[in-house]
Amino acid sequence: MKTFKMLSVIGAAALLSATGPALAQTFTVAVVPDTQNYSDIALPQPRGAETFAREMQYLADQKGPKNLAFVTFVGDIIQHGDGQFRLPATDTAPARDMDTRAEWDIANRAVSILSRSGVAFGMVPGNHDYDNYSWWAEDGGPGAARPLAGGRAFSFYFGPTSRHFAGKSWYGGATENGLNSFQTFQGDGKPFLHLSLEMDPPPAVLDWAQGVIDAHPNVPVIISTHEWLAPSKTGATDRANGTASLFAGTDHLSPDQIWDRFVRKNPMIFMVLSGHAYTPAVEGVSLGENLRIDHNDAGFPVYQVLQDFQGNTVGPDGQAGSANGGGGWLRFMEFDVERRKIRFYTYSPLLDRYAGRDGEATFGVAASYSEFELDFPEQLLTRH
């Protein structure tokens, strides 16, 4: 995760207000933003674990009602990497070295609810999911925390051989380190390809992803990756860039480099989904949303959408700090085939609330990024 101060350039993309009830000919793709605060054993538990499980149960229950075709997680599944971190000393307690396998177990139990539902899904690691994210080198610690490296824990719990994905017909394959994978799903009887890419993927991963796309010609592609857009309260649509601080000295690529080297060159990529970035919370309210639309080399639009609600701690009682960061918020994208529209909306099963309804500034700004519509891009209209 990364916090951003508000930016100051007005974006050009026009957002449309959501319309009335969905028509019958629809299917839905759901996005699970950063869940790290639900898994974090240094935060109130079991409150966080219960929120994580509630999100997963809601998604499982919506398989039929929403015609839920696919679910994607955009990273930061847990908080402290491979399970080793140090709590600093306080006035009442000395520093403590922690074993956070419990965080992976919290996540694993929650994801198992979705896994048992039969809904196809994909997962990517965020910066907090790399093995050494919370390591320390001094005093006999496990080693350096930067650059980020290692995905042993993530791959063990959520890699291709995990019980969530092994043998699933919709799980297409993964890179050797288990941090990148692809899935296929059907929407309105037509195939879609989903690429789950690690944070700021290096060139070798893009080469692998290109091979996957080449093996699925003329199929619309959605990418999920942890870092892509920065949030903004003023309409700026800058891409994020944590590569220099998190992956210094490696060949990991920034979102801008990935756009130039890979995304813009593939005409069937029509959406990039991300998390990671949010603004500092004010009274338990934070903004972690944005939308950017660029056209690829074929002239087709690519919708780039940020959703990260981890800074929001307002719970069911309406008080800041009464929920673990995230507040149960989920993003939904309803594909209306008859109207040729994608309706984006944001709902929390913890709060039983929709963000941005009736003009409410749920995340401190106008509802533009919480509930809106976009036209079906050419990638969905021109395929055979």
Side-chain angles (χ1 to χ4, degrees):
M1 65 87 183
K2 185 174 184 178
T3 56
F4 280 82
K5 297 180 180 179
M6 62 182 72
L7 304 174
S8 60
V9 180
I10 302 299
L15 305 180
L16 304 177
S17 298
T19 59
L23 300 176
Q25 197 175 8
T26 65
F27 64 92
T28 301
V29 173
V31 185
V32 182
D34 305 41
T35 56
Q36 63 207 68
N37 293 321
Y38 308 149
S39 305
D40 190 349
I41 63 169
L43 294 177
Q45 295 293 357
R47 188 175 75 181
E50 290 169 352
T51 301
F52 203 160
R54 184 178 297 211
E55 286 190 339
M56 297 301 101
Q57 189 62 59
Y58 180 79
L59 292 172
D61 292 344
Q62 295 304 306
K63 179 180 179 181
K66 293 186 185 297
N67 194 12
L68 187 60
F70 191 75
V71 176
T72 177
F73 294 70
V74 292
D76 278 0
I77 309 302
I78 60 94
Q79 187 78 282
H80 293 107
D82 76 343
Q84 300 178 76
F85 79 105
R86 173 170 286 185
L87 282 178
T90 67
D91 293 340
T92 59
R96 290 182 293 158
D97 296 347
M98 303 292 290
D99 180 346
T100 59
R101 284 174 294 181
E103 295 189 354
W104 291 102
D105 290 338
I106 287 170
N108 191 44
R109 286 193 296 270
V111 172
S112 293
I113 298 170
L114 179 64
S115 185
R116 289 192 296 267
S117 75
V119 176
F121 66 99
M123 304 179 74
V124 302
N127 48 306
H128 286 255
D129 301 319
Y130 284 86
D131 287 341
N132 69 334
Y133 178 80
S134 297
W135 286 9
W136 65 99
E138 66 279 2
D139 301 327
R146 301 294 182 274
L148 292 179
R152 181 177 54 185
F154 180 89
S155 186
F156 176 79
Y157 282 92
F158 302 119
T161 61
S162 73
R163 60 192 175 92
H164 304 298
F165 300 124
K168 299 295 176 65
S169 60
W170 42 263
Y171 190 86
T175 54
E176 186 175 351
N177 64 5
L179 301 184
N180 307 271
S181 61
F182 75 94
Q183 300 78 33
T184 57
F185 65 93
Q186 296 281 317
D188 189 41
K190 297 179 180 178
F192 286 76
L193 174 63
H194 179 264
L195 293 173
S196 301
L197 301 183
E198 66 181 280
M199 184 176 183
D200 301 344
V205 169
L206 298 187
D207 291 342
W208 169 85
Q210 187 63 59
V212 173
I213 291 177
D214 292 345
H216 297 80
N218 206 42
V219 176
V221 181
I222 298 173
I223 294 174
S224 292
T225 191
H226 187 54
E227 178 179 59
W228 193 262
L229 285 184
S232 172
K233 292 187 176 182
T234 60
T237 59
D238 297 336
R239 294 196 184 98
N241 187 5
T243 314
S245 61
L246 296 173
F247 295 102
T250 74
D251 62 348
H252 282 254
L253 301 170
S254 70
D256 282 331
Q257 291 173 315
I258 296 164
W259 168 265
D260 286 332
R261 294 188 183 201
F262 178 67
V263 176
R264 68 181 302 162
K265 296 179 179 180
N266 281 282
M268 294 307 289
I269 297 175
F270 73 97
M271 188 176 294
V272 180
L273 301 167
S274 64
H276 182 59
Y278 65 103
T279 61
V282 178
E283 298 182 353
V285 175
S286 166
L287 177 66
E289 297 180 316
N290 212 339
L291 169 69
R292 174 172 175 151
I293 303 173
D294 293 295
H295 286 76
N296 60 30
D297 290 350
F300 299 162
V302 181
Y303 300 148
Q304 300 150 75
V305 189
L306 166 67
Q307 44 275 300
D308 178 8
F309 306 110
Q310 65 177 287
N312 291 276
T313 63
V314 175
D317 62 359
Q319 300 299 309
S322 63
N324 285 35
W329 291 104
L330 298 166
R331 171 60 55 81
F332 295 92
M333 300 178 293
E334 181 184 75
F335 290 69
D336 189 327
V337 177
E338 184 170 333
R339 295 177 57 240
R340 296 184 174 185
K341 299 283 187 180
I342 306 173
R343 183 169 73 99
F344 295 73
Y345 63 96
T346 310
Y347 174 75
S348 168
L350 174 67
L351 307 178
D352 190 22
R353 287 176 55 201
Y354 291 88
R357 288 283 167 95
D358 301 318
E360 178 188 88
T362 309
F363 304 120
V365 297
S368 303
Y369 297 129
S370 299
E371 185 149 358
F372 58 96
E373 278 191 348
L374 296 172
D375 292 330
F376 267 23
E378 280 86 345
Q379 294 93 324
L380 303 187
L381 301 175
T382 58
R383 62 173 169 167
H384 303 302

